[in-house]
Amino acid sequence: MKSLYAIKKFMGFSAESQDKDILFEDIEIDSRKCKANDVFLARCGSNHNGLDYIDDVIAKGVSLILIDPKANRKEAKKLLENKDVKYFFLTATRSIGRFASWFYGEPSTKLRLIGVTGTNGKSTVAYLVATMLNALNYKCAIFGTLGFGFPGELEQSSNTTLDVVYLNRYLDRYVQKGADHAVLEVSSIGVDQGRIDHLTFSVGAFTNLTRDHLDYHKTMEAYKEAKAAFLRRLNTQKIVINTDDPTGLEFASQKEGCTCYGIDSMTQVSALNGRRCISCEHLSFKDDCFNVSIKTSYGMLENQNVHLLGRFNVSNYLCAVGILQTLKITLKEIGQASAAIRPVTGRMECFSQKGKPRIIVDYAHTPDGVESALRAARNHCENGKIICVLGCGGDRDKGKRPMMAIKSSVFADRVIFTMDNPRSEDPKSIIDDMLRGVSLASNVSVVLDRKEAIAKAFALADENDCVLIAGKGHEDYQILKNKTIHFSDREQACALLGLSCD
């Protein structure tokens, strides 16, 4: 809560003593949610202009409006000149991020904030870090694709990385609830749009870079630059990088003092002086877990049974180990905390029932993600077939559709193409884009209705086979052209196996 007096001082204006009695509880960017004691931030977004809702918020009793630095000042002044409301223009130096952080008491400095960026693996790494810290009696909140809050009681989030206003608000809320750590999925779009501006990070990690979000960034170079921009915010000794990834190896070569992790890349990393290293000494896969022994710059972590599936989750686990080591958690404590790890909701989440095919639900929605998920399924299903159910999202990068289709056809025994979240696009048109990549393939079929596609894949599978349902993971909705309906791949899997779905 801040007074008008304090806000005026922050903005560089003189204030009167009576301004101390005028208090504001929150900053709000959604006019529909405004209350009389809120500061309304009139954002200039790609789809909406907050200035269009000035009359609505004034009618709700709002008495102070902050205006986006991108707004046209002349038009804004004309709009507000006869309104009974105070207003200030934010600037490059008194920015949205800086104001939000100040308003909520600089919450990112009151805990240890961990940022994880990369195309794939952010959600899993965030979950692993939070789970392991909480197992060691710390109190770690998560902010990301799965939602925000403490594990087991997450609130839904509209974006991978929340708007900087809401992010500061909820960081402050969880500080008040006793959080001493928070782990944040840092998306490239979030970086580009200023959603992490003026946050203080204790550790930052980079998982990988593969094709995604080109509908927004346009080029891979611009996409990579957004990831690099996040890492530049941190002291190099606080950075953890996957050097199995070519971009990661490039970043590591520029970051003396960083921690490098990898399954295959330690020969290359050894040529880089001044880097801490984390690597696998032993790795084997079992039905429901992998067993790994890890060599680090601080000693060995041996014979860990980690209840996750797939090689790429070994990489995610190494990342989490690197983050915890950077936080000065001992190897003994990391080993103890690893016992608490369980599969992440909708991330290589396995459902099984004796005598029936295994079903895996995963969020894979990029070409690399599809390949990694199918390879992971193969690691744990050596004696059976892999049947994949796959769709591509509408209103997103069309160029990756045939690439995802190729990956599924190559790495699965059979593939059924279906709807994902078509959004405003014709689902058949999306499928056509996918089919262009596999015109010569003989293991591909199409069932447009997702529920029917999943049921068909299950019917085709034998007891030793595995059905991988890719693309939607944890989501319990499907976005169609004119409506959003309830739909959960996890619920469909459980229904086919006769299991209850939590």
Side-chain angles (χ1 to χ4, degrees):
M1 184 173 288
K2 295 290 185 184
S3 68
L4 179 59
Y5 183 94
I7 292 171
K8 283 184 175 181
K9 289 291 187 181
F10 175 89
M11 295 301 301
F13 296 104
S14 59
E16 300 173 1
S17 59
Q18 59 263 37
D19 292 335
K20 295 179 180 179
D21 298 325
I22 303 173
L23 301 177
F24 297 93
E25 183 176 344
D26 273 319
I27 311 168
E28 186 52 73
I29 60 175
D30 186 338
S31 62
R32 297 166 297 183
K33 298 178 181 177
C34 269
K35 305 182 299 294
N37 59 346
D38 286 343
V39 177
F40 178 60
L41 173 56
R43 297 291 296 266
C44 293
S46 55
N47 298 316
H48 300 282
N49 185 343
L51 292 172
D52 294 336
Y53 303 93
I54 294 298
D55 289 338
D56 293 343
V57 300
I58 292 175
K60 292 182 176 183
V62 168
S63 61
L64 179 61
I65 295 172
L66 295 180
I67 301 169
D68 194 317
K70 298 191 294 289
N72 184 306
R73 285 197 169 211
K74 186 176 181 180
E75 291 181 5
K77 285 182 178 180
K78 184 177 180 181
L79 178 67
L80 290 162
E81 62 184 355
N82 295 317
K83 308 289 186 185
D84 184 21
V85 66
K86 295 179 178 63
Y87 63 90
F88 298 112
F89 288 94
L90 293 169
T91 65
T93 54
R94 292 182 175 87
S95 64
I96 294 170
R98 185 181 171 197
F99 181 82
S101 183
W102 168 82
F103 187 95
Y104 288 107
E106 313 287 349
S108 65
T109 67
K110 296 177 180 177
L111 42 62
R112 302 171 88 181
L113 182 61
I114 302 146
V116 183
T117 197
T119 306
N120 299 308
K122 295 188 295 296
S123 295
T124 298
V125 171
Y127 163 83
L128 294 178
V129 170
T131 297
M132 294 166 78
L133 285 171
N134 289 332
L136 294 171
N137 295 319
Y138 295 98
K139 203 163 184 181
C140 183
I142 297 176
F143 292 81
T145 309
L146 297 175
F148 61 92
F150 295 122
E153 48 188 75
L154 298 181
E155 299 181 50
Q156 287 195 339
S157 172
S158 56
N159 294 305
T160 297
T161 307
L162 287 169
D163 180 273
V164 70
V165 170
Y166 293 147
L167 190 48
N168 276 283
R169 180 193 296 180
Y170 292 120
L171 279 171
D172 177 54
R173 174 190 292 181
Y174 286 99
V175 166
Q176 302 305 317
K177 290 184 176 183
D180 45 35
H181 292 75
V183 57
L184 169 66
E185 292 182 48
V186 178
S187 70
S188 57
I189 297 173
V191 174
D192 190 65
Q193 293 183 350
R195 297 182 205 163
I196 61 169
D197 285 359
H198 291 277
L199 296 181
T200 299
F201 288 90
S202 296
V203 183
F206 172 82
T207 59
N208 49 62
L209 186 79
T210 61
R211 180 169 180 146
D212 202 9
H213 300 307
L214 294 196
D215 51 308
Y216 180 91
H217 292 292
K218 308 305 180 188
T219 68
M220 284 298 294
E221 193 60 34
Y223 183 30
K224 181 172 82 170
E225 170 54 27
K227 303 298 187 186
F230 165 63
L231 297 180
R232 286 196 294 270
R233 295 168 179 263
L234 291 119
N235 180 304
T236 56
Q237 294 189 349
K238 302 298 183 181
I239 296 174
V240 180
I241 297 177
N242 176 14
T243 47
D244 284 343
D245 179 82
T247 300
L249 188 60
E250 177 187 337
F251 287 164
S253 70
Q254 303 161 0
K255 307 287 184 185
E256 185 173 354
C258 72
T259 295
C260 302
Y261 70 91
I263 302 171
D264 301 317
S265 59
M266 286 305 109
T267 301
Q268 296 163 287
V269 173
S270 63
L272 302 175
N273 294 322
R275 276 80 174 168
R276 296 181 296 276
C277 297
I278 299 173
S279 61
C280 290
E281 289 288 290
H282 160 80
L283 174 63
S284 61
F285 296 96
K286 302 180 180 181
D287 282 349
D288 61 350
C289 68
F290 58 79
N291 180 271
V292 66
S293 293
I294 298 172
K295 181 180 180 181
T296 82
S297 296
Y298 300 100
M300 290 290 297
L301 181 62
E302 297 188 274
N303 199 32
Q304 297 296 306
N305 284 316
V306 181
H307 288 272
L308 299 173
L309 301 184
R311 187 179 176 87
F312 71 94
N313 270 326
V314 178
S315 182
N316 290 332
Y317 176 64
L318 295 182
C319 184
V321 169
I323 290 170
L324 265 63
Q325 283 198 316
T326 305
L327 292 169
K328 307 301 183 186
I329 307 297
T330 68
L331 283 170
K332 181 179 179 180
E333 291 173 314
I334 291 171
Q336 292 170 348
S338 297
I341 293 172
R342 292 294 181 270
V344 187
T345 302
R347 302 298 192 276
M348 289 304 291
E349 186 176 11
C350 185
F351 300 88
S352 60
Q353 182 78 288
K354 188 174 181 179
K356 296 184 179 181
R358 177 183 301 188
I359 302 178
I360 296 174
V361 174
D362 191 66
Y363 192 53
H365 60 281
T366 67
D368 180 72
V370 171
E371 177 180 342
S372 295
L374 287 167
R375 284 182 178 273
R378 187 75 69 186
N379 289 145
H380 300 272
C381 187
E382 294 180 349
N383 299 318
K385 302 188 300 294
I386 305 293
I387 303 171
C388 180
V389 178
L390 178 70
C392 291
D395 300 337
R396 298 294 186 267
D397 178 12
K398 294 183 179 182
K400 70 180 182 181
R401 294 171 184 172
M403 298 168 67
M404 290 172 65
I406 291 169
K407 295 287 189 181
S408 66
S409 177
V410 168
F411 292 101
D413 297 292
R414 297 192 66 166
V415 189
I416 301 173
F417 292 163
T418 189
M419 282 199 296
D420 189 279
N421 291 318
R423 298 183 176 88
S424 70
E425 290 193 63
D426 178 359
K428 292 181 180 179
S429 177
I430 296 173
I431 298 291
D432 287 343
D433 288 341
M434 296 174 70
L435 290 170
R436 290 187 184 97
V438 290
S439 57
L440 300 179
S442 60
N443 64 339
V444 174
S445 59
V446 175
V447 177
L448 200 59
D449 182 274
R450 193 172 182 91
K451 180 178 180 179
E452 293 178 9
I454 293 169
K456 180 179 179 181
F458 186 75
L460 291 170
D462 294 327
E463 178 180 348
N464 293 323
D465 296 342
C466 177
V467 176
L468 175 71
I469 309 172
K472 290 174 59 58
H474 65 285
E475 295 177 353
D476 60 2
Y477 56 83
Q478 190 171 37
I479 307 172
L480 308 178
K481 187 170 185 177
N482 297 314
K483 60 182 178 179
T484 297
I485 63 171
H486 179 84
F487 190 91
S488 166
D489 289 348
R490 300 174 71 249
E491 291 175 7
Q492 297 300 314
C494 289
L496 289 168
L497 291 168
L499 302 173
S500 60
C501 187
D502 55 16

